[in-house]
Amino acid sequence: MTALIEARGVSKRFRQHRRFPGLLGAFKTLVTTEYSEVTAVADIGFDIAAGEAVGYLGPNGAGKSTMIKMMTGILVPSDGTLSVLGRTPHLERMANARQIGVVFGQRSQLWWDLPLIDSFTLHQRIYDIPLARYQDNLARFSELLDLKPFLDRAVRQLSLGQRMRAEIVMSLLHDPKILFLDEPTIGLDVVAKDAVRRFLAEINRERGVTIILTTHDLQDIETICPRLIMVDQAKLIFDGELGKLRSALGSARRLTLEFATDPGPVILSTATLTSDDGLIKHYLLERDDVSLVQVLSEVGNDRDLKDVALHEPNIEEVIRSFYQRRNTAAAITP
Amino acid sequence: MSAYTAFVRSGFLTSLAYRNEVWANIFGKLVQVFARVAIWLAVYAGVTAVDRISIGDMITYALLGGVVMGATRYDRIIRHVGTALKTGDVAVWLLKPVHYPLYLLSIEAGASAYTFLLAVVPTIVIVALVYGMHPPASLFHGVMFVAYCGLSFIIHFLCAAIFGVLAFWLMTIFSLEWLLQSLISLLSGLLIPFWFFPEPFGSIASHQPLAWLVYYPSAVWLGRLDIMQTLLYFGFGIAWAGLLTLTLTLLWRRAASRITVQGG
Amino acid sequence: MRRTLGTLLLLVSMYIKSQMEYRGAFWLDRLAQIVSYGAVLLGMWILLQKFQLLGGWNWPELALLFSFQLLAYALGASVSFTQLRNLDDLVRLGTLDALLTKPINTWAYLIFSGLNIGYAGHIILAIPVLVWALLAAQVSWSIGTALFFVGSLLSAMSVTGAVITMIGATAMIWVRSNHLFAIFFGFWELTRYPLNIFPAGIQAVMLTIVPLAYISAVPVAVLLDKPVPLLGDFAWLAALLAGPLLTLIAIAHWRYAMSRYQGAGG
């Protein structure tokens, strides 16, 4: 099966006019034309197959939105090749537009002063959706996301959560093959987030709509996306199943051993001792292939072991510790 | 007080940050002043004086109009006040130990100082070099012109701020902006000095507050008012400024209390 | 084609519908604009009471110039100005990006979803003044002049729309374009006066790089059989051709700006 989206060595660079700080700097900015080049996306490659749901994760400024904009044909890559539905997105933007749905979290595409249904009607006209199909989809999605009560209300009177649900429904009305979502849950409350996540997971499962969403909320990815692509400082740092992220980023499990009587220092080959409080000792399991059983057998039966606790770091910790290590590394290298 | 000097500074720097705007501003001003001079040259059509006003006087008048009106932007003030009131953003200011109208005055003073230095002065120098410009009628008139300019800025600010506060009730900043624009273009003397108005409109126009925006400062420079009149009309101007301050304060209190009572 | 047209009409009707949500403010705004332009006209009248002629033009002739300019501007700007003035905001807020993901021409969507009916105020003031001035000024009517009047008005309107479109599109390259609008309106105010009163430098600029002379001074001078500086006998032809020519340039510029925005043009 061929990939729906193919990215090969994709990069995007922007030029920025340089500004100088302070009063003198302000005058200097007036007369200089210096530019600095910013790399938003650097040499990224991946394949996404039909029916996948992929979370695109990274901190602010990591190049998530830029990548989405290239995949939807808004921006042209500076380097590399990109193919979406077999087409080069920016060259065949219009043809692609009919087969993709796009939701930008913070910019509404709805008509502020008009009843919600009017924006949907316009969408039907722009995408030339057969009327029966449109009505069918609208009825079904409205049902699922509970839009019915406010279809006739002006958009400006809706809550942020209601508006986001409406945006998502609108983006699906023309049966897109791929749905791109840029920060779909940003600013929503817990209940609204949950509704959006469950809906997206269901659309992906039942209709086979390929979903690509950027987020910095891990919960989004855990609920919707089996696959995770993680970027940092424009580069790809991980592509795979969420469960494999830990070993890929090299975050160790922590082990705590509690003894009934102090056995003295216990040095193991399978785990590294990090702190020793006598009765309670803490270890790091740096290697992923070491199992708890192996560690315990090394400890042996003769040392009065009372309790064992193994801490799997959660994803959030894994990522946080990754960024912390990256920052200290950056501080050391000049 | 130091807070307000900081506002002046930030108003100045914000304007400076956009370099294309800076050049465009200078250029735009230059075109405007050239045009105004061109209009007077065209209507005089070679005649040296009309009603004892020479063409040199009128060129000077057109340039002075650029000096006193070139820097302050009523539309910016109206929009600032109007939006802050309509969106309720002003509530944030009510919480700070700062008087919002004074804050605005400071910001505007900074922005005006910027426009004055970077757009108005170069423009006037260029046009004056091309067409020539009369010096002030006397040292006294020169000094009083500067004082009148200060008064002009204050009255300009007060009128614009009053229109801005009205947006709280009228709900349309747009109309207020256009209305004040029409009043200023006709009644400040910017385009046509009141001595060319048919009577009694000339006399009426020269006693309303907007006359202090352009007409009086320029008339003083040209020596159209003698020493007594110069001082007298300065007094009238201050009286107008007082009255406008009172109006602004009352309207502002009304709006502010509505906001705090109703929560915006 | 018919389907696209239907979509554009729907866009226009949706925009009007959303404007009418604030009908009171809408008409108050129109009133304010009529008063404001009325004040400009009144100022001109006061000046002409005192001086009779401005650069060789009398009061009815100047009123004709004023109303022709206002009408051409209103018609041209209604399909460009308010929609494209905020293009820099649309770029900054990402609204333009969202538009680019739709299967519809971006320019057409922008223009028709904001087709500005707010210029009704300009038109309500301009038409009676224009009719009065056409009768009061000495126009030697013939089929030729009548055709020229209509043709040059359409051309003037296209010049307005084209110049504003080019300025607006620049936002896609420079992110901000407001300063260019400031320059535009500086020159635009000059178009209320006959071209011959300005220094030769300004005349040349207004006939070439900021071609605003074609929205009023040139066509009205031709209509009144007055000399046009620099163009001379070719003034009538220039007045008629300026619109179509600038429209073509504006289309090319829009395409170029769009490709620069997307990062295709380097």
Side-chain angles (χ1 to χ4, degrees), chain A residues 196-234:
Chain A
V196 165
R197 283 171 190 147
R198 273 188 294 125
F199 176 74
L200 289 175
E202 186 170 335
I203 289 295
N204 175 245
R205 245 193 344 267
E206 291 189 358
R207 297 212 160 199
V209 177
T210 307
I211 289 182
I212 290 141
L213 67 88
T214 71
T215 183
H216 39 282
D217 189 335
L218 273 164
Q219 196 79 49
D220 287 350
I221 290 171
E222 281 174 352
T223 334
I224 311 163
C225 309
R227 178 173 165 196
L228 172 69
I229 291 179
M230 197 171 150
V231 286
D232 182 43
Q233 294 175 333

Side-chain angles (χ1 to χ4, degrees), chain B residues 18 20-25 27-28 30-32 34-36 38-44 50-51 131 170-176 178-179 181-183 185-186 191-192 195-198, chain C residues 25 28-33 35-37 39-40 42-51 53-56 85 122 174 176 178-180 182-183 186-187 189-190 193 197-199 202 205:
Chain B
Y18 299 102
N20 288 331
E21 268 95 313
V22 174
W23 297 121
N25 243 316
F27 191 73
L30 200 60
V31 171
Q32 270 176 20
F34 257 111
R36 240 172 270 146
I39 291 165
W40 289 115
L41 286 170
V43 288
Y44 269 72
V50 175
D51 295 354
Y131 289 110
L170 287 176
M171 294 314 280
T172 161
I173 303 169
F174 186 90
S175 314
L176 292 162
W178 281 78
L179 279 179
Q181 177 187 312
S182 64
L183 291 177
S185 75
L186 211 55
L191 296 178
I192 306 157
W195 55 69
F196 288 144
F197 273 37
Chain C
L28 194 61
D29 291 350
R30 302 294 76 80
L31 185 71
Q33 283 182 311
V35 170
S36 185
Y37 283 107
V40 174
L42 184 62
M44 221 181 259
W45 179 79
I46 292 173
L47 198 65
L48 269 288
Q49 283 308 102
K50 193 79 201 169
F51 293 91
L53 285 179
L54 173 70
R85 170 188 51 186
H122 292 62
W174 285 351
R176 288 175 72 94
N178 279 334
H179 54 287
L180 289 180
I183 296 182
F187 278 104
E189 270 185 47
L190 310 193
Y193 304 97
I197 70 167
F198 298 114
I202 292 187
V205 168

Side-chain angles (χ1 to χ4, degrees), chain A residues 72-73 87-100 126-127, chain C residues 99-108:
Chain A
T72 50
R87 307 184 185 100
T88 305
H90 72 271
L91 292 180
E92 293 178 82
R93 184 166 52 82
M94 290 280 204
N96 257 3
R98 291 184 186 282
Q99 296 184 323
I100 61 172
I126 290 179
Y127 285 80
Chain C
L99 266 185
L100 280 164
T101 67
K102 291 186 196 296
I104 186 169
N105 182 289
T106 310
W107 176 84

